[in-house]
Amino acid sequence: MNALIRKDLYTQKASTYFLTALWFIIFTNFFTDGQPVRHILLLIFVAYFIAISTSNKDFEKESVLVNSLPVTRKQFVLAKYAAGFMWFGLSAVGILVYIFLFETFAPFPTRMMTMPELLIALGSFYVILSLFYPIQFKMGYLLATSLTIILPLFSMMSFRIILNIMENPRMVAEQQFFLQTAELVTTNQWTIALSVLLISAILTWLSILLSIRIVRKTDFDHA
């Protein structure tokens, strides 16, 4: 299984890391906005984008390599999910460095991410992966990507709507609701983080079981 994780690391295209710059632009408003929620969203989708970039081949083609290694199909599936920790870790390091540079040199207020925020991002990242892999193994990479890409689009739209509400002086009740929600999340970050991790762990476990079942039942012409 370790060989499969290393294979994903070694075969990751260098262009993928450059394309992740697009997520920085989208979620940080061209590097001029240091709101913590943007950093959480940025970390989730940078890690997700890098993770699924290693799966942009048909499983039938990738299985040629799998069949040449002393691993089972169950180990192949487990390696995909385990590699998520590697991609998340690399993404977290990159984004924390970015925040440090932003906080040090940019003339805009920001702060470093807290541990609960990192855990919330990790749990949310695995929720999306839990949706992606079963769909990919069953119906292919293109459909899995198309369906899960709705999540970042929905997140950006929701965030934009909230910002518009906060800037509208006539929506006092809505502004009060979002301010209270933000205060609740801020003062109960560990509770929120542990809840997200619990939900994520359950969904990931179910997703792994489903993915293993799908892969075991998949027949290949070359197998």
Side-chain angles (χ1 to χ4, degrees), residues 177-192:
F177 169 76
F178 287 121
L179 287 174
Q180 291 176 350
T181 302
E183 182 180 359
L184 178 65
V185 172
T186 302
T187 56
N188 297 275
Q189 279 196 343
W190 277 107
T191 301
I192 301 296

Side-chain angles (χ1 to χ4, degrees), residues 99-127:
I99 296 174
F100 172 77
L101 295 175
F102 191 99
E103 185 178 20
T104 304
F105 299 106
F108 305 100
T110 188
R111 63 165 174 79
M112 190 60 68
M113 294 180 69
T114 63
M115 181 57 68
E117 289 170 350
L118 290 172
L119 295 178
I120 290 171
L122 175 63
S124 302
F125 164 66
Y126 263 93
V127 167

Side-chain angles (χ1 to χ4, degrees), residues 151-170:
L151 294 174
L153 292 177
F154 178 77
S155 299
M156 288 184 288
M157 290 174 58
S158 300
F159 190 70
R160 186 68 258 176
I161 291 173
I162 292 174
L163 290 179
N164 291 339
I165 290 176
M166 298 302 292
E167 295 171 358
N168 190 334
R170 294 178 296 177

Side-chain angles (χ1 to χ4, degrees), residues 12 19 22 24 27 37 49-50 70 72 82 93 107-108 118 128 144 146 158-159 161 164 180-181 197 208 215:
Q12 182 66 275
L19 287 174
L22 295 176
F24 280 81
F27 282 108
V37 65
F49 177 76
I50 296 175
T72 65
V93 170
F108 305 100
L118 290 172
I128 304 177
S146 301
S158 300
F159 190 70
I161 291 173
N164 291 339
Q180 291 176 350
T181 302
L197 285 178
I208 290 173
V215 171

